[in-house]
Amino acid sequence: MPPYSTLRTFITSLQTGRTNITDSLERLMSDHGALKGNIHFQDLRQGGAADSPMPVWARAALRASGMSKDEVDHIDRWPDPQKEAVRAALVAAVDGTRAMHLLWELYDGNDAATEVRDPDGSGGITIIFRSPRAGVQLTPSIGWVHVEV
């Protein structure tokens, strides 16, 4: 979830597991050929390539996929080990021409978590981003939902 969402968007995301971030990342991942041909894809092969602060080229790619600046900033605040897991899965998906599915959910843990599901090493890869329920706050004056990383 981005740092601030309308209540309607938040409820829809709870029901579907879909957010603008998950949708944007899937759009970015949908054209493996374009990714392989991108000059920065080789950079992405290096461990830690998405660590904070994210490189300018990575921020630009996320913005071009449909994310707002606030959403990109939100991703940059994710713990580096979680971004590293996503980076490695992204490279595996592109190299193996495998589908990647991304979902978001709330959970009862204390910290943000990322789960990569790759059951057979050849089919699709699913990544689930989990935000702790304790990090959800409703802003009373404007009716926005804030989700802490």
Side-chain angles (χ1 to χ4, degrees):
M1 278 306 293
Y4 288 96
S5 298
T6 65
L7 187 55
R8 180 181 309 261
T9 299
F10 179 74
I11 290 169
T12 299
S13 294
L14 283 174
Q15 293 170 333
T16 64
R18 309 297 304 162
T19 69
N20 189 55
I21 290 174
T22 60
D23 291 346
S24 295
L25 287 171
E26 281 192 13
R27 271 192 299 278
L28 183 64
M29 288 296 305
S30 66
D31 189 347
H32 293 144
L35 285 169
K36 284 182 181 178
N38 184 304
I39 191 167
H40 296 294
F41 186 73
Q42 292 307 314
D43 296 340
L44 204 57
R45 291 182 184 285
Q46 299 299 315
D51 286 359
S52 294
M54 278 193 299
V56 171
W57 62 264
R59 294 180 67 84
L62 294 174
R63 289 297 306 274
S65 73
M67 286 186 212
S68 69
K69 179 187 178 307
D70 288 342
E71 289 169 325
V72 174
D73 291 344
H74 176 74
I75 290 173
D76 203 20
R77 288 190 303 272
W78 289 353
D80 286 339
Q82 291 179 34
K83 286 189 287 188
E84 179 60 19
V86 173
R87 182 208 61 79
L90 184 148
V91 170
V94 171
D95 286 346
T97 315
R98 300 166 64 193
M100 182 173 266
H101 307 286
L102 298 113
L103 300 167
W104 170 82
E105 65 185 21
L106 287 179
Y107 84 124
D108 293 327
N110 295 322
D111 299 308
T114 300
E115 177 185 349
V116 176
R117 293 182 183 168
D118 187 1
D120 63 8
S122 63
I125 298 171
T126 299
I127 298 177
I128 302 170
F129 303 108
R130 293 192 169 100
S131 298
R133 292 182 201 284
V136 176
Q137 303 167 357
L138 180 62
T139 57
S141 60
I142 56 174
W144 289 78
V145 176
H146 177 71
V147 179
E148 289 287 326
V149 175

